[in-house]
Amino acid sequence: MIARALLPDLPAYNALEELAKQLASASLQGLFEADPQRAETFTASAAGLHLDYSKQLLTRGARAALLQLAEQAGVQQGIADLFDGVRVNNTEGRPALHTLLRASSAGGQEDRFREVVTARSRMQTMAERLHRGEHTGYSGTTITDVVNIGIGGSDLGPRLVTQALKPFHGRVRCHYVSNVDPADLQDTLATLNPAATAFIICSKSFRTEETLANGLAARDWMLHAGATTTELDRHFLAVTTNLQAARDFGIPEANCLPMWDWVGGRYSVWSAVGLSCAIAVGWERFSEFLAGAEAMDQHFRHSEPGENLPLLMSLLEIWYCNFFGAGNHVVLPYDHSLQRLPDFLQQLTMESNGKRVSNSGELLHYTTAPVLWGSAGTMGQHSFHQLLHQGTLLCPVDFILPLTTHTSEQQQHRILVANCLAQSRTLMVGRSLEQARQALLRRGLDDEAAATLASHLVMPGNRPSSVITMASLNPGTLGALLALYEHRTYCSGLLWGINSFDQWGVELGKEISTDILGRLTDGIGADDTMDAATEHLIERWRDATR
Ligand code: F6P
């Protein structure tokens, strides 16, 4: 990987700073008046998704300057490197070939693609047997419930996809357990019949403490219910790169599906990590999910930068983060089945780009990944939207809106759509002091009361948002949506000059936790330089559990 100038040293950077200053005080409605084509020209479409970014604090000039920035940052080369299997994860010396997992041809990665195809075919066989109710447990009962035990990338992706594709579910119910808090597994198991339940132990490393603890507890539950050790083979599957550890756990190789070190956990739902999704919706639907993502990959790889959805969305992220000081980004899916999307995107964007040094280890003096947050609309409207409209933080928003519903409740869906469009418009238009005063007068307040209260009703407006629509949320558009955010994340990493595919920042906490666990369990810790605050808290725990 060739070292390149960092973001502030790119030639377009200074001009963008100037443009940002101008646009910070511009009126979005004024921009629409000045450019009658704006509602069409600030849009782009691909793979069944339509991005409307006309309500962003952008002009054609600012967009052109951002595209220049991308060119100067070598984004096009970075995109080619991703697909060509270059070791873009330079700190671990690996490529990041999640795109190969949904590819329909090898694209120069023949050996790896062969492995993917073989794994896909084994996954299909397993998924179909379970989906069709052909897999029976230790007592001959058909498996009706599958519990995926995993955490992070081995949980958030499959959990989201399964929930989002609920209208396509077959007879098998899929459940997700990730928290090491025993309540998570216990609550899930409380409703299940061991004889009809199968577990997928999903862990790229097969070393993750939470997953192994939950896996062992699930095993005990099954043995306690009367299954013999040999019969456990009918109930436990694994997805991992670490076959030996899965075997040591007691899962035979025939029940293990592979992962690869060239796929990051948070980019892995397309692999056998998505097995639970394929069981829930069947192979045909799962294939459509992969195809939707592949269509977005093709678009990302081949479209013009000015039409490239992931790149445009990444440039907006850079724009607000680095030129407007917005340290956060809000994602609001107006579809209840996408309620887990913000959780998934938190890992995707914040584990990928929450970095403080460049690819070559240089300390960065600019903001990288913003805090991503959000929830399914309309719930947020009755909690945090107050801050979006009147708070002091700049919170750029992505609204995500499937235009049709799978339910028969058309009027209720119209209410949902109206609320989504209204929120995006309200963020833009706001309400002036005079408009607020008039509104109060209309409510029957006298002049003095209206003048006193009016400033509380003022909404500054000019708050940026995009609206991503799709005809319907289905396996294809869902695949495209997730791939869109994956590639947006990668582009932002390229622009920030960081490695989006490692996560060294999660390790120290795990080590310290192991040490503290030693103290809690038998009073011995490896690190005898524990700080006084932690010692004090350990003492409090001892007092409470004596
Ligand atoms: O601790 C972070 C992390 O390594 C994530 O990157 C990963 O998705 C998660 O843990 C789970 O890891 P595994 O799939 O190896 O259990």
Side-chain angles (χ1 to χ4, degrees):
M1 186 172 299
I2 305 155
R4 61 138 182 94
L6 293 178
L7 188 70
D9 301 323
L10 296 173
Y13 189 88
N14 290 346
L16 278 162
E17 274 192 322
E18 276 312 306
L19 286 163
K21 270 186 215 147
Q22 290 163 22
L23 280 160
S25 55
S27 137
L28 272 172
Q29 284 177 286
L31 295 179
F32 273 94
E33 279 158 25
D35 182 356
Q37 304 304 315
R38 186 175 177 88
E40 289 93 53
T41 50
F42 286 80
T43 63
S45 297
L49 306 184
H50 179 76
L51 168 69
D52 174 351
Y53 61 106
S54 60
K55 293 194 244 54
Q56 298 286 356
L57 292 164
L58 269 189
T59 54
R60 291 175 195 233
R63 179 175 58 188
L66 282 167
L67 288 165
Q68 261 179 355
L69 190 79
E71 196 185 324
Q72 292 159 4
V75 167
Q76 284 308 316
Q77 184 58 51
I79 295 173
D81 289 348
L82 182 76
F83 287 91
D84 290 345
V86 172
R87 294 175 184 202
V88 290
N89 179 354
N90 65 315
T91 60
E92 296 179 301
R94 298 169 186 166
L97 275 166
H98 41 284
T99 51
L100 198 62
L101 301 172
R102 56 236 188 181
S104 47
S105 60
Q109 300 292 324
E110 273 69 17
D111 292 347
R112 289 192 177 109
F113 190 61
R114 251 191 305 280
E115 289 181 42
V116 169
V117 170
T118 307
R120 248 187 231 162
S121 140
R122 289 190 56 222
M123 177 182 170
Q124 176 177 1
T125 308
M126 282 186 197
E128 276 182 343
R129 275 178 57 74
L130 280 149
H131 181 72
R132 292 198 198 119
E134 292 165 8
H135 189 103
T136 52
Y138 64 86
S139 64
T141 308
T142 300
I143 298 294
T144 54
D145 291 86
V146 168
V147 183
N148 185 85
I149 296 181
I151 198 163
S154 297
D155 167 74
L156 293 165
R159 191 191 282 261
L160 161 68
V161 171
T162 299
Q163 199 172 61
L165 298 182
K166 193 146 182 252
F168 304 92
H169 284 195
R171 71 184 87 195
V172 178
R173 290 177 292 268
C174 290
H175 313 264
Y176 293 86
V177 169
S178 62
N179 199 334
V180 75
D181 183 333
D184 192 4
L185 182 69
Q186 282 172 12
D187 286 355
T188 306
L189 297 187
T191 60
L192 302 181
N193 168 13
T197 301
F199 293 91
I200 303 170
I201 311 296
C202 195
S203 175
K204 179 177 167 185
S205 62
F206 226 87
R207 274 198 290 263
T208 304
E209 187 178 41
E210 293 92 330
T211 301
L212 296 184
N214 277 321
L216 287 172
R219 204 168 179 272
D220 286 348
W221 179 74
M222 198 58 95
L223 291 170
H224 191 72
T228 63
T229 321
T230 328
E231 286 166 345
L232 288 182
D233 293 358
R234 308 192 69 80
H235 294 268
F236 279 84
L237 306 169
V239 180
T240 187
T241 56
N242 190 350
L243 279 181
Q244 186 55 52
R247 270 196 301 263
D248 294 346
F249 181 92
I251 303 179
E253 201 165 326
N255 286 13
C256 295
L257 289 169
M259 269 277 282
W260 298 274
D261 67 0
W262 41 266
V263 180
R266 53 194 176 273
Y267 298 88
S268 66
V269 66
W270 324 99
S271 70
V273 167
L275 177 63
S276 55
C277 316
I279 292 169
V281 300
W283 190 255
E284 203 179 319
R285 296 300 192 187
F286 190 76
S287 302
E288 288 165 18
F289 170 66
L290 299 185
E294 188 184 22
M296 183 54 72
D297 294 342
Q298 293 303 319
H299 164 78
F300 180 52
R301 192 170 190 180
H302 299 297
S303 67
E304 286 300 313
E307 298 295 323
N308 193 314
L309 259 68
L311 176 58
L312 289 167
M313 285 176 59
S314 156
L315 288 170
L316 287 166
E317 180 173 40
I318 303 293
W319 183 230
Y320 292 117
C321 227
N322 300 100
F323 296 95
F324 286 78
N328 76 107
H329 183 80
V330 190
V331 177
L332 302 176
Y334 272 66
D335 185 304
H336 196 66
S337 73
L338 287 174
Q339 62 181 295
R340 287 280 179 171
L341 183 65
D343 296 1
F344 170 81
L345 293 179
Q346 277 179 343
Q347 189 199 10
L348 177 64
T349 63
M350 290 156 76
E351 197 172 73
S352 294
N353 288 341
K355 309 284 164 68
R356 59 190 285 283
V357 297
S358 73
N359 270 309
S360 49
E362 207 175 329
L363 187 62
L364 301 175
H365 298 287
Y366 50 87
T367 306
T368 58
V371 173
L372 188 144
W373 59 289
S375 79
T378 60
M379 272 102 78
Q381 291 175 210
H382 300 274
S383 65
F384 56 78
H385 280 227
Q386 165 66 36
L387 179 148
L388 299 184
H389 292 295
Q390 286 190 314
T392 52
L393 274 182
L394 173 64
C395 306
V397 180
D398 288 350
F399 290 95
I400 296 169
L401 179 65
L403 296 170
T404 56
T405 174
H406 291 286
T407 74
S408 55
E409 299 299 330
Q410 298 307 328
Q411 184 54 19
Q412 206 166 326
H413 189 252
R414 266 180 220 124
I415 298 173
L416 183 74
V417 174
N419 272 278
C420 178
L421 301 186
Q423 289 296 313
S424 179
R425 173 171 157 74
T426 307
L427 285 168
M428 170 173 76
V429 299
R431 177 162 54 192
S432 69
L433 188 62
E434 181 52 21
Q435 286 169 332
R437 207 179 64 79
Q438 292 298 336
L440 288 167
L441 291 174
R442 279 196 300 278
R443 282 185 209 174
L445 272 69
D446 63 28
D447 276 350
E448 195 188 336
T452 311
L453 199 54
S455 64
H456 295 275
L457 275 71
V458 169
M459 307 182 49
N462 284 327
R463 301 198 164 191
S465 67
S466 291
V467 184
I468 300 168
T469 52
M470 62 204 80
S472 73
L473 182 66
N474 57 45
T477 51
L478 179 67
L481 183 69
L482 302 193
L484 165 63
Y485 276 97
E486 282 183 353
H487 294 320
R488 167 189 181 267
T489 302
Y490 177 56
C491 285
S492 294
L494 289 170
L495 282 146
W496 284 317
I498 59 182
N499 178 357
S500 300
F501 300 109
D502 60 12
Q503 58 282 320
W504 300 103
V506 301
E507 292 193 356
L508 182 57
K510 293 182 191 175
E511 284 167 29
I512 294 179
S513 161
T514 304
D515 186 36
I516 294 177
L517 180 61
R519 284 164 195 258
L520 303 187
T521 309
D522 43 38
I524 305 163
D527 181 357
D528 52 11
T529 59
M530 195 65 74
D531 63 278
T534 308
E535 288 290 9
H536 184 73
L537 290 165
I538 291 174
E539 262 325 298
R540 282 185 65 78
W541 175 81
R542 284 205 179 104
D543 287 347
T545 54
R546 253 192 265 275

